[in-house]
Amino acid sequence: MTFWILGGTIGDIEGMPFVEAFRQFQFKAKRENFCNIHVSLVPQIVCRSSKPIEMAVKEKISMFCHVNPEQVICIHDVSSTYRVPVLLEEQGIVKYFKERLDLPIGDSANNLLFKWKNMADRYERLQKTCSIALVGKYTKLRDCYASVFKALEHSALAINHKLNLMYIDSIDLEHTTETEDPVKFHEAWQKLCKAE
């Protein structure tokens, strides 16, 4: 079995040719081998929201998207991203894909989910903090370092610590900044010295 993933959010104009290609490809690949998943942000009512949405809203979304209500999966704000897979499973996503794509999922999925729930619980109970300074050129654009942040966050969890990642723009540590903006220079060096 092969999986294709198309990143991005439905509605972005740049992705439309790819979405259309996937839409057409599903007829060639056949229903049992292909499943489209669309992610969309519509504040307060659909799919990605701050609060759980009501069944009436799910039914309305399903009607306009030509899918069954149980195919409308909503991810509301949770205490940590580690809770998202638990939330998805509670909405029956594993069962749905098992049936929809005839996947050979056995008891190992329940065991894995149990371990994942324990990890999410452990993450929320962490007391110790690990402070790390990340010095770089584009630290104001946090997305540039998203994978680094996630890697460090997972590493901190592995040693039972919460991550306190301090972003420092490398130019703030240079002598020119000391001359032009001494406050910014000293703040950057203080942050760097706080790292463990």
Side-chain angles (χ1 to χ4, degrees), residues 40-58 60-61 72-77:
S40 181
L41 172 62
V42 179
Q44 303 300 321
I45 58 168
V46 52
C47 297
R48 179 67 191 91
S49 62
S50 60
K51 299 182 271 193
I53 66 168
E54 298 174 12
M55 190 56 174
V57 176
K58 274 189 163 192
K60 188 172 184 178
I61 294 167
V72 178
I73 305 295
C74 300
I75 304 171
H76 59 270
D77 290 353

PDB file of all heavy atoms in Angstrom, residues 40-58 60-61 72-77:
ATOM      1  N   SER A  40      -9.032  22.401   7.160  1.00  0.00           N
ATOM      2  CA  SER A  40      -9.436  23.777   6.928  1.00  0.00           C
ATOM      3  C   SER A  40      -9.626  24.474   8.259  1.00  0.00           C
ATOM      4  O   SER A  40     -10.105  23.883   9.212  1.00  0.00           O
ATOM      5  CB  SER A  40     -10.748  23.797   6.140  1.00  0.00           C
ATOM      6  OG  SER A  40     -11.132  25.117   5.879  1.00  0.00           O
ATOM      7  N   LEU A  41      -9.241  25.737   8.326  1.00  0.00           N
ATOM      8  CA  LEU A  41      -9.444  26.529   9.538  1.00  0.00           C
ATOM      9  C   LEU A  41     -10.575  27.512   9.289  1.00  0.00           C
ATOM     10  O   LEU A  41     -10.490  28.380   8.428  1.00  0.00           O
ATOM     11  CB  LEU A  41      -8.172  27.297   9.916  1.00  0.00           C
ATOM     12  CG  LEU A  41      -8.330  28.302  11.058  1.00  0.00           C
ATOM     13  CD1 LEU A  41      -8.732  27.597  12.343  1.00  0.00           C
ATOM     14  CD2 LEU A  41      -7.050  29.082  11.267  1.00  0.00           C
ATOM     15  N   VAL A  42     -11.644  27.314  10.031  1.00  0.00           N
ATOM     16  CA  VAL A  42     -12.745  28.268  10.021  1.00  0.00           C
ATOM     17  C   VAL A  42     -13.043  28.538  11.488  1.00  0.00           C
ATOM     18  O   VAL A  42     -13.567  27.674  12.181  1.00  0.00           O
ATOM     19  CB  VAL A  42     -13.998  27.709   9.311  1.00  0.00           C
ATOM     20  CG1 VAL A  42     -15.122  28.721   9.334  1.00  0.00           C
ATOM     21  CG2 VAL A  42     -13.658  27.310   7.886  1.00  0.00           C
ATOM     22  N   PRO A  43     -12.653  29.693  12.011  1.00  0.00           N
ATOM     23  CA  PRO A  43     -12.732  29.949  13.452  1.00  0.00           C
ATOM     24  C   PRO A  43     -14.102  29.649  14.050  1.00  0.00           C
ATOM     25  O   PRO A  43     -15.132  30.020  13.496  1.00  0.00           O
ATOM     26  CB  PRO A  43     -12.410  31.445  13.556  1.00  0.00           C
ATOM     27  CG  PRO A  43     -11.603  31.733  12.342  1.00  0.00           C
ATOM     28  CD  PRO A  43     -12.152  30.829  11.272  1.00  0.00           C
ATOM     29  N   GLN A  44     -14.086  28.969  15.160  1.00  0.00           N
ATOM     30  CA  GLN A  44     -15.226  28.666  16.015  1.00  0.00           C
ATOM     31  C   GLN A  44     -16.203  27.621  15.472  1.00  0.00           C
ATOM     32  O   GLN A  44     -17.042  27.167  16.219  1.00  0.00           O
ATOM     33  CB  GLN A  44     -16.033  29.945  16.347  1.00  0.00           C
ATOM     34  CG  GLN A  44     -15.223  31.033  17.004  1.00  0.00           C
ATOM     35  CD  GLN A  44     -14.615  30.598  18.327  1.00  0.00           C
ATOM     36  OE1 GLN A  44     -15.238  29.900  19.097  1.00  0.00           O
ATOM     37  NE2 GLN A  44     -13.389  30.992  18.582  1.00  0.00           N
ATOM     38  N   ILE A  45     -16.159  27.242  14.193  1.00  0.00           N
ATOM     39  CA  ILE A  45     -17.208  26.306  13.772  1.00  0.00           C
ATOM     40  C   ILE A  45     -16.734  25.020  13.131  1.00  0.00           C
ATOM     41  O   ILE A  45     -17.446  24.041  13.186  1.00  0.00           O
ATOM     42  CB  ILE A  45     -18.237  26.972  12.822  1.00  0.00           C
ATOM     43  CG1 ILE A  45     -17.580  27.525  11.587  1.00  0.00           C
ATOM     44  CG2 ILE A  45     -19.046  28.006  13.532  1.00  0.00           C
ATOM     45  CD1 ILE A  45     -18.525  27.908  10.516  1.00  0.00           C
ATOM     46  N   VAL A  46     -15.606  24.973  12.508  1.00  0.00           N
ATOM     47  CA  VAL A  46     -15.341  23.778  11.706  1.00  0.00           C
ATOM     48  C   VAL A  46     -13.920  23.255  11.817  1.00  0.00           C
ATOM     49  O   VAL A  46     -12.973  24.015  11.777  1.00  0.00           O
ATOM     50  CB  VAL A  46     -15.685  24.047  10.226  1.00  0.00           C
ATOM     51  CG1 VAL A  46     -15.028  25.278   9.741  1.00  0.00           C
ATOM     52  CG2 VAL A  46     -15.281  22.906   9.326  1.00  0.00           C
ATOM     53  N   CYS A  47     -13.790  21.968  11.900  1.00  0.00           N
ATOM     54  CA  CYS A  47     -12.544  21.210  11.803  1.00  0.00           C
ATOM     55  C   CYS A  47     -11.471  21.616  12.807  1.00  0.00           C
ATOM     56  O   CYS A  47     -11.142  20.836  13.671  1.00  0.00           O
ATOM     57  CB  CYS A  47     -12.012  21.247  10.384  1.00  0.00           C
ATOM     58  SG  CYS A  47     -13.127  20.456   9.233  1.00  0.00           S
ATOM     59  N   ARG A  48     -10.948  22.774  12.701  1.00  0.00           N
ATOM     60  CA  ARG A  48      -9.904  23.238  13.626  1.00  0.00           C
ATOM     61  C   ARG A  48     -10.483  24.422  14.366  1.00  0.00           C
ATOM     62  O   ARG A  48     -10.682  25.485  13.794  1.00  0.00           O
ATOM     63  CB  ARG A  48      -8.667  23.625  12.807  1.00  0.00           C
ATOM     64  CG  ARG A  48      -7.514  24.144  13.606  1.00  0.00           C
ATOM     65  CD  ARG A  48      -6.900  23.082  14.505  1.00  0.00           C
ATOM     66  NE  ARG A  48      -5.973  23.712  15.434  1.00  0.00           N
ATOM     67  CZ  ARG A  48      -6.337  24.154  16.635  1.00  0.00           C
ATOM     68  NH1 ARG A  48      -7.570  24.029  17.057  1.00  0.00           N
ATOM     69  NH2 ARG A  48      -5.454  24.716  17.420  1.00  0.00           N
ATOM     70  N   SER A  49     -10.806  24.234  15.649  1.00  0.00           N
ATOM     71  CA  SER A  49     -11.479  25.295  16.394  1.00  0.00           C
ATOM     72  C   SER A  49     -10.974  25.357  17.825  1.00  0.00           C
ATOM     73  O   SER A  49     -10.257  24.475  18.281  1.00  0.00           O
ATOM     74  CB  SER A  49     -12.996  25.054  16.388  1.00  0.00           C
ATOM     75  OG  SER A  49     -13.291  23.828  17.036  1.00  0.00           O
ATOM     76  N   SER A  50     -11.354  26.394  18.526  1.00  0.00           N
ATOM     77  CA  SER A  50     -10.914  26.539  19.912  1.00  0.00           C
ATOM     78  C   SER A  50     -11.729  25.651  20.851  1.00  0.00           C
ATOM     79  O   SER A  50     -11.241  25.237  21.894  1.00  0.00           O
ATOM     80  CB  SER A  50     -11.014  28.000  20.355  1.00  0.00           C
ATOM     81  OG  SER A  50     -12.347  28.449  20.260  1.00  0.00           O
ATOM     82  N   LYS A  51     -12.970  25.346  20.474  1.00  0.00           N
ATOM     83  CA  LYS A  51     -13.850  24.520  21.312  1.00  0.00           C
ATOM     84  C   LYS A  51     -14.409  23.364  20.483  1.00  0.00           C
ATOM     85  O   LYS A  51     -14.488  23.457  19.255  1.00  0.00           O
ATOM     86  CB  LYS A  51     -15.027  25.357  21.818  1.00  0.00           C
ATOM     87  CG  LYS A  51     -14.633  26.538  22.670  1.00  0.00           C
ATOM     88  CD  LYS A  51     -15.856  27.274  23.155  1.00  0.00           C
ATOM     89  CE  LYS A  51     -16.233  28.345  22.130  1.00  0.00           C
ATOM     90  NZ  LYS A  51     -17.190  29.308  22.608  1.00  0.00           N
ATOM     91  N   PRO A  52     -14.835  22.272  21.148  1.00  0.00           N
ATOM     92  CA  PRO A  52     -15.494  21.189  20.395  1.00  0.00           C
ATOM     93  C   PRO A  52     -16.739  21.727  19.701  1.00  0.00           C
ATOM     94  O   PRO A  52     -17.435  22.591  20.236  1.00  0.00           O
ATOM     95  CB  PRO A  52     -15.875  20.176  21.485  1.00  0.00           C
ATOM     96  CG  PRO A  52     -14.992  20.489  22.645  1.00  0.00           C
ATOM     97  CD  PRO A  52     -14.706  21.965  22.572  1.00  0.00           C
ATOM     98  N   ILE A  53     -17.007  21.221  18.504  1.00  0.00           N
ATOM     99  CA  ILE A  53     -18.198  21.699  17.788  1.00  0.00           C
ATOM    100  C   ILE A  53     -19.353  20.723  17.972  1.00  0.00           C
ATOM    101  O   ILE A  53     -19.148  19.542  18.250  1.00  0.00           O
ATOM    102  CB  ILE A  53     -17.917  21.934  16.286  1.00  0.00           C
ATOM    103  CG1 ILE A  53     -17.615  20.626  15.581  1.00  0.00           C
ATOM    104  CG2 ILE A  53     -16.801  22.931  16.084  1.00  0.00           C
ATOM    105  CD1 ILE A  53     -17.628  20.763  14.077  1.00  0.00           C
ATOM    106  N   GLU A  54     -20.540  21.229  17.801  1.00  0.00           N
ATOM    107  CA  GLU A  54     -21.742  20.419  18.004  1.00  0.00           C
ATOM    108  C   GLU A  54     -22.027  19.570  16.772  1.00  0.00           C
ATOM    109  O   GLU A  54     -21.589  19.873  15.663  1.00  0.00           O
ATOM    110  CB  GLU A  54     -22.926  21.340  18.290  1.00  0.00           C
ATOM    111  CG  GLU A  54     -22.743  22.162  19.559  1.00  0.00           C
ATOM    112  CD  GLU A  54     -23.861  23.174  19.762  1.00  0.00           C
ATOM    113  OE1 GLU A  54     -24.886  23.086  19.044  1.00  0.00           O
ATOM    114  OE2 GLU A  54     -23.697  24.036  20.627  1.00  0.00           O
ATOM    115  N   MET A  55     -22.821  18.519  16.983  1.00  0.00           N
ATOM    116  CA  MET A  55     -23.159  17.598  15.903  1.00  0.00           C
ATOM    117  C   MET A  55     -23.901  18.313  14.768  1.00  0.00           C
ATOM    118  O   MET A  55     -23.698  17.989  13.600  1.00  0.00           O
ATOM    119  CB  MET A  55     -23.999  16.436  16.448  1.00  0.00           C
ATOM    120  CG  MET A  55     -24.188  15.334  15.458  1.00  0.00           C
ATOM    121  SD  MET A  55     -22.568  14.749  14.883  1.00  0.00           S
ATOM    122  CE  MET A  55     -23.046  13.369  13.904  1.00  0.00           C
ATOM    123  N   ALA A  56     -24.732  19.285  15.100  1.00  0.00           N
ATOM    124  CA  ALA A  56     -25.472  20.015  14.062  1.00  0.00           C
ATOM    125  C   ALA A  56     -24.518  20.705  13.095  1.00  0.00           C
ATOM    126  O   ALA A  56     -24.750  20.744  11.880  1.00  0.00           O
ATOM    127  CB  ALA A  56     -26.413  21.030  14.704  1.00  0.00           C
ATOM    128  N   VAL A  57     -23.423  21.229  13.610  1.00  0.00           N
ATOM    129  CA  VAL A  57     -22.430  21.893  12.773  1.00  0.00           C
ATOM    130  C   VAL A  57     -21.710  20.862  11.907  1.00  0.00           C
ATOM    131  O   VAL A  57     -21.484  21.077  10.714  1.00  0.00           O
ATOM    132  CB  VAL A  57     -21.426  22.704  13.621  1.00  0.00           C
ATOM    133  CG1 VAL A  57     -20.342  23.316  12.755  1.00  0.00           C
ATOM    134  CG2 VAL A  57     -22.153  23.781  14.411  1.00  0.00           C
ATOM    135  N   LYS A  58     -21.378  19.714  12.504  1.00  0.00           N
ATOM    136  CA  LYS A  58     -20.742  18.632  11.739  1.00  0.00           C
ATOM    137  C   LYS A  58     -21.637  18.200  10.581  1.00  0.00           C
ATOM    138  O   LYS A  58     -21.174  17.959   9.474  1.00  0.00           O
ATOM    139  CB  LYS A  58     -20.469  17.416  12.635  1.00  0.00           C
ATOM    140  CG  LYS A  58     -19.190  17.462  13.386  1.00  0.00           C
ATOM    141  CD  LYS A  58     -18.957  16.116  14.054  1.00  0.00           C
ATOM    142  CE  LYS A  58     -17.521  15.974  14.455  1.00  0.00           C
ATOM    143  NZ  LYS A  58     -17.167  14.618  14.833  1.00  0.00           N
ATOM    144  N   LYS A  60     -23.895  19.971   9.052  1.00  0.00           N
ATOM    145  CA  LYS A  60     -23.925  21.031   8.041  1.00  0.00           C
ATOM    146  C   LYS A  60     -22.661  20.974   7.179  1.00  0.00           C
ATOM    147  O   LYS A  60     -22.727  21.079   5.951  1.00  0.00           O
ATOM    148  CB  LYS A  60     -24.054  22.393   8.718  1.00  0.00           C
ATOM    149  CG  LYS A  60     -24.285  23.532   7.764  1.00  0.00           C
ATOM    150  CD  LYS A  60     -24.585  24.813   8.508  1.00  0.00           C
ATOM    151  CE  LYS A  60     -24.921  25.940   7.544  1.00  0.00           C
ATOM    152  NZ  LYS A  60     -25.251  27.179   8.240  1.00  0.00           N
ATOM    153  N   ILE A  61     -21.508  20.810   7.821  1.00  0.00           N
ATOM    154  CA  ILE A  61     -20.251  20.701   7.084  1.00  0.00           C
ATOM    155  C   ILE A  61     -20.300  19.498   6.154  1.00  0.00           C
ATOM    156  O   ILE A  61     -19.921  19.576   4.988  1.00  0.00           O
ATOM    157  CB  ILE A  61     -19.055  20.586   8.055  1.00  0.00           C
ATOM    158  CG1 ILE A  61     -18.895  21.879   8.842  1.00  0.00           C
ATOM    159  CG2 ILE A  61     -17.770  20.252   7.293  1.00  0.00           C
ATOM    160  CD1 ILE A  61     -17.961  21.751  10.029  1.00  0.00           C
ATOM    161  N   VAL A  72     -16.390  13.982   9.260  1.00  0.00           N
ATOM    162  CA  VAL A  72     -15.978  15.327   9.649  1.00  0.00           C
ATOM    163  C   VAL A  72     -15.302  15.207  11.012  1.00  0.00           C
ATOM    164  O   VAL A  72     -15.943  14.975  12.024  1.00  0.00           O
ATOM    165  CB  VAL A  72     -17.179  16.296   9.731  1.00  0.00           C
ATOM    166  CG1 VAL A  72     -16.725  17.679  10.192  1.00  0.00           C
ATOM    167  CG2 VAL A  72     -17.885  16.378   8.387  1.00  0.00           C
ATOM    168  N   ILE A  73     -14.009  15.315  11.014  1.00  0.00           N
ATOM    169  CA  ILE A  73     -13.214  15.156  12.228  1.00  0.00           C
ATOM    170  C   ILE A  73     -12.788  16.542  12.694  1.00  0.00           C
ATOM    171  O   ILE A  73     -12.222  17.309  11.922  1.00  0.00           O
ATOM    172  CB  ILE A  73     -11.960  14.292  11.962  1.00  0.00           C
ATOM    173  CG1 ILE A  73     -12.343  12.950  11.347  1.00  0.00           C
ATOM    174  CG2 ILE A  73     -11.137  14.121  13.238  1.00  0.00           C
ATOM    175  CD1 ILE A  73     -13.150  12.037  12.221  1.00  0.00           C
ATOM    176  N   CYS A  74     -13.072  16.844  13.934  1.00  0.00           N
ATOM    177  CA  CYS A  74     -12.788  18.180  14.448  1.00  0.00           C
ATOM    178  C   CYS A  74     -11.714  18.128  15.519  1.00  0.00           C
ATOM    179  O   CYS A  74     -11.770  17.308  16.426  1.00  0.00           O
ATOM    180  CB  CYS A  74     -14.055  18.792  15.014  1.00  0.00           C
ATOM    181  SG  CYS A  74     -15.338  18.925  13.763  1.00  0.00           S
ATOM    182  N   ILE A  75     -10.752  19.004  15.377  1.00  0.00           N
ATOM    183  CA  ILE A  75      -9.668  19.091  16.348  1.00  0.00           C
ATOM    184  C   ILE A  75      -9.767  20.446  17.040  1.00  0.00           C
ATOM    185  O   ILE A  75      -9.477  21.469  16.450  1.00  0.00           O
ATOM    186  CB  ILE A  75      -8.290  18.933  15.672  1.00  0.00           C
ATOM    187  CG1 ILE A  75      -8.241  17.620  14.900  1.00  0.00           C
ATOM    188  CG2 ILE A  75      -7.181  18.998  16.709  1.00  0.00           C
ATOM    189  CD1 ILE A  75      -7.015  17.473  14.041  1.00  0.00           C
ATOM    190  N   HIS A  76     -10.206  20.409  18.294  1.00  0.00           N
ATOM    191  CA  HIS A  76     -10.289  21.653  19.059  1.00  0.00           C
ATOM    192  C   HIS A  76      -9.026  21.807  19.904  1.00  0.00           C
ATOM    193  O   HIS A  76      -8.218  20.892  20.008  1.00  0.00           O
ATOM    194  CB  HIS A  76     -11.543  21.663  19.937  1.00  0.00           C
ATOM    195  CG  HIS A  76     -11.613  20.529  20.907  1.00  0.00           C
ATOM    196  ND1 HIS A  76     -12.208  19.329  20.594  1.00  0.00           N
ATOM    197  CD2 HIS A  76     -11.137  20.403  22.165  1.00  0.00           C
ATOM    198  CE1 HIS A  76     -12.110  18.514  21.630  1.00  0.00           C
ATOM    199  NE2 HIS A  76     -11.469  19.138  22.594  1.00  0.00           N
ATOM    200  N   ASP A  77      -8.856  22.991  20.465  1.00  0.00           N
ATOM    201  CA  ASP A  77      -7.674  23.271  21.283  1.00  0.00           C
ATOM    202  C   ASP A  77      -7.603  22.287  22.448  1.00  0.00           C
ATOM    203  O   ASP A  77      -8.609  22.015  23.114  1.00  0.00           O
ATOM    204  CB  ASP A  77      -7.722  24.699  21.830  1.00  0.00           C
ATOM    205  CG  ASP A  77      -7.516  25.740  20.739  1.00  0.00           C
ATOM    206  OD1 ASP A  77      -7.211  25.353  19.599  1.00  0.00           O
ATOM    207  OD2 ASP A  77      -7.661  26.931  21.042  1.00  0.00           O
TER     208      ASP A  77
END
